Amino acid sequence: MSTVDDVTSVRYERMRWNTPLSQTHADLLLQRLGISAGAGVVDLGCGWGELLLQAVGAGSTTGIGVDIDDAALARGRKLAADRSLDKRVTFLNQEASAWREPADRVLCIGASHAFGGTATALESLAGLVRPGGRLLFGDGFWERPPSPEATEIIGPGIMPLAGLVEQARELGWRVLHMSVADQREWDDFESTWLAGRQAWLLRHPDDPRATELRDELDIRLREYVGVYRGVFGFAYLILGR
Ligand SMILES: C[S@@+](CC[C@H](N)C(=O)[O-])C[C@H]1O[C@@H](n2cnc3c(N)ncnc32)[C@H](O)[C@@H]1O
């Protein structure tokens, strides 16, 4: 079987980013981040760094992406090379919580768990934003009170949006912009998360791994539409201090 067809390598292939986000929403966040020429941008838990690459590609800035997923980092390096950004964007395999170098703009989207949770992430990231800088913090919240099943699937420590905003404020941040992923962004995120493997299944219906994979994808889609769709939300906060 070719590497391209391998079920693991197709997992993320249909995703532009690994978060519920449209290009229009990304454009808004980048505009609100106000990245000026010469600024340094660091993305902690960057995945393949699509937003980081767009941030750097839009101006004369430099970027560093930090993640612990080698395959994602390799994809990021290739994207950087394809866009002639490889001299300006570096991808490093490193624990996000071990990063110590402050930057003008810090991105941390869907990776608060790498710091031990929302509060610890907001505390740790305070020391990584240069004076006058900005943090783009993307984190989950309960859009509606969760059922016990939703809490079990998503995990503990999630707050309602008001709690998330209040937490940031209590930890010394000013909320300069706030927007949440809409339903279509969520549906696209969940669909593209499954789409690489759905396509693989259609190509390999008789593969020995097909039955287990079909069950896995069916469970995820059932949980999304039946348990946490419209219940688990995702917020993008642009923070300063
Ligand atoms: C939900 S994804 C978000 C990726 C990216 N920020 C985006 O928006 O597309 C979370 C990322 O955090 C990374 N991650 C998880 N634990 C980490 C850690 N301890 N240090 C660095 N990155 C970590 C994962 O590998 C994954 O790429």
Side-chain angles (χ1 to χ4, degrees):
M1 186 178 297
S2 76
T3 332
V4 170
D5 253 349
D6 184 81
V7 73
T8 305
S9 70
V10 299
R11 188 173 272 249
Y12 299 103
E13 73 174 13
R14 302 293 175 98
M15 306 181 97
R16 185 194 300 231
W17 19 57
N18 192 356
T19 186
L21 185 66
S22 62
Q23 186 59 58
T24 315
H25 196 171
D27 292 343
L28 172 74
L29 296 174
L30 291 177
Q31 188 243 321
R32 294 292 160 90
L33 266 173
I35 307 174
S36 49
V41 185
V42 67
D43 188 347
L44 300 170
C46 64
W48 51 91
E50 176 62 32
L51 195 64
L52 171 70
L53 289 164
Q54 292 193 15
V56 172
S60 42
T61 56
T62 54
I64 296 172
V66 174
D67 206 287
I68 50 171
D69 180 337
D70 269 328
L73 291 164
R75 178 173 169 183
R77 289 184 194 110
K78 181 171 184 324
L79 288 172
D82 291 348
R83 298 178 200 180
S84 305
L85 292 172
D86 43 331
K87 300 275 188 296
R88 291 202 277 142
V89 183
T90 310
F91 286 94
L92 301 174
N93 186 330
Q94 194 180 307
E95 283 286 331
S97 61
W99 184 257
R100 294 285 175 268
E101 191 66 37
D104 302 299
R105 296 293 181 271
V106 177
L107 319 181
C108 180
I109 297 173
S112 61
H113 57 285
F115 294 86
T118 300
T120 6
L122 286 167
E123 279 167 349
S124 309
L125 292 163
L128 296 180
V129 178
R130 286 201 184 119
R134 301 278 181 270
L135 165 67
L136 170 55
F137 187 65
D139 208 19
F141 69 93
W142 291 127
E143 203 151 354
R144 294 200 203 128
S147 63
E149 205 183 348
T151 307
E152 197 183 316
I153 293 167
I154 304 297
I158 312 287
M159 293 169 271
L161 183 58
L164 177 61
V165 168
E166 195 54 22
Q167 176 101 84
R169 197 194 59 76
E170 280 172 6
L171 292 171
W173 294 99
R174 299 303 302 163
V175 180
L176 306 173
H177 167 86
M178 194 269 324
S179 47
V180 303
D182 65 20
Q183 200 60 74
R184 189 174 296 185
E185 290 177 302
W186 263 108
D187 289 347
D188 194 55
F189 170 61
E190 291 287 339
S191 299
T192 54
W193 166 236
L194 302 179
R197 287 170 292 170
Q198 299 282 23
W200 184 94
L201 267 179
L202 295 179
R203 288 197 303 272
H204 304 279
D206 302 321
D207 188 281
R209 294 166 289 178
T211 304
E212 194 181 335
L213 181 62
R214 202 174 287 117
D215 288 348
E216 190 186 320
L217 300 186
D218 287 350
I219 289 169
R220 172 70 181 232
L221 185 57
R222 209 175 288 131
E223 285 178 344
Y224 175 54
V225 295
V227 181
Y228 65 89
R229 184 177 186 270
V231 173
F232 185 49
F234 198 84
Y236 297 92
L237 308 180
I238 294 182
L239 305 170
R241 50 195 305 127

